[in-house]
Amino acid sequence: MTKHPIAILISGRGSNMRSLIDACAQPDYPARIALVLSNRPDAPGLETAREAGLNTVAIDHRPFGKDRAAHERAVNAALRDAGVEIVCLAGYMRVLTPYLVHAWQGRMLNIHPSLLPAFPGLHTHAAAIAAGASTHGCTVHLVTDGVDEGPILGQADVPVLKDDSPDTLAARVLSQEHVLYPAVLAQFCETLDTHQ
Ligand code: GRF
């Protein structure tokens, strides 16, 4: 079985990264982690990745100022150097320019905490409650130029309960994210295998 080399891009705590680390540790899982990359050198998830013995790199966006493309060129070089085949965004809090999106077209996945196309952007849990949604959830999709707009690869539903706050709902969605992302990535790898 081919273990496809992936990169996980994070900006924060990295709980979805953790679920991918655990999945990749299984001998029969079709991916391995070639790189964990963060735009924030102080992201707690970087420490988790280091403790797991993974190859990590921080490419701070701040020294690049407004030059998003220059930051992305550095990110892209690190991805290529590590021999990455698939990029998994997992709480990577940067809006990407067409440069990076096109460089990884069809090979870059993102997890978003809503049932897209409902509630793109930030604060999805508060938005779902405010809209009176009875069902909420999470989506793994391919990344395209439009934010949170690419083809959907998988979704998981959770009910919105009467007494939910954005935090209680977020926690219920997050536990589904941790199941959905590894499952969709495995399926995605298998699709690559059948088309190679
Ligand atoms: C998750 O809710 C994910 O859906 C969103 O950002 C959050 C990242 O959380 N894109 P974590 O860093 O994986 O814990």
Side-chain angles (χ1 to χ4, degrees), residues 45-184:
L46 271 183
E47 192 48 40
T48 310
R50 281 189 211 107
E51 279 165 11
L54 296 169
N55 182 24
T56 63
V57 66
I59 304 181
D60 194 340
H61 61 280
R62 288 168 299 189
F64 293 89
K66 292 204 160 85
D67 195 350
R68 284 179 181 270
H71 177 252
E72 289 185 351
R73 281 195 294 277
V75 168
N76 195 41
L79 296 172
R80 302 292 178 198
D81 282 353
V84 167
E85 233 183 85
I86 302 165
V87 177
C88 296
L89 306 182
Y92 186 65
M93 302 302 284
R94 300 285 296 163
V95 173
L96 304 183
T97 79
Y99 166 75
L100 202 63
V101 172
H102 294 174
W104 291 92
Q105 190 112 42
R107 296 284 178 133
M108 184 185 274
L109 280 57
N110 181 44
I111 186 150
H112 180 77
S114 79
L115 294 173
L116 289 172
F119 313 121
L122 298 174
H123 311 301
T124 56
H125 309 300
I129 290 171
S134 56
T135 307
H136 187 42
C138 48
T139 302
V140 176
H141 64 96
L142 281 171
V143 175
T144 55
D145 284 327
V147 175
D148 302 327
E149 274 183 13
I152 290 171
L153 301 177
Q155 292 185 309
D157 295 1
V158 305
V160 180
L161 305 180
K162 180 166 58 63
D163 296 328
D164 262 332
S165 67
D167 286 349
T168 60
L169 183 55
R172 203 172 319 109
V173 171
L174 192 64
S175 66
Q176 287 306 306
E177 294 183 36
H178 297 161
V179 178
L180 181 70
Y181 211 169
V184 171

Side-chain angles (χ1 to χ4, degrees), residues 28 188 192:
D28 58 349
F188 184 77
L192 287 185

Side-chain angles (χ1 to χ4, degrees), residues 29-48:
Y29 191 79
R32 66 179 173 83
I33 300 169
L35 183 66
V36 172
L37 183 151
S38 178
N39 65 307
R40 293 201 168 272
D42 58 351
L46 271 183
E47 192 48 40
T48 310

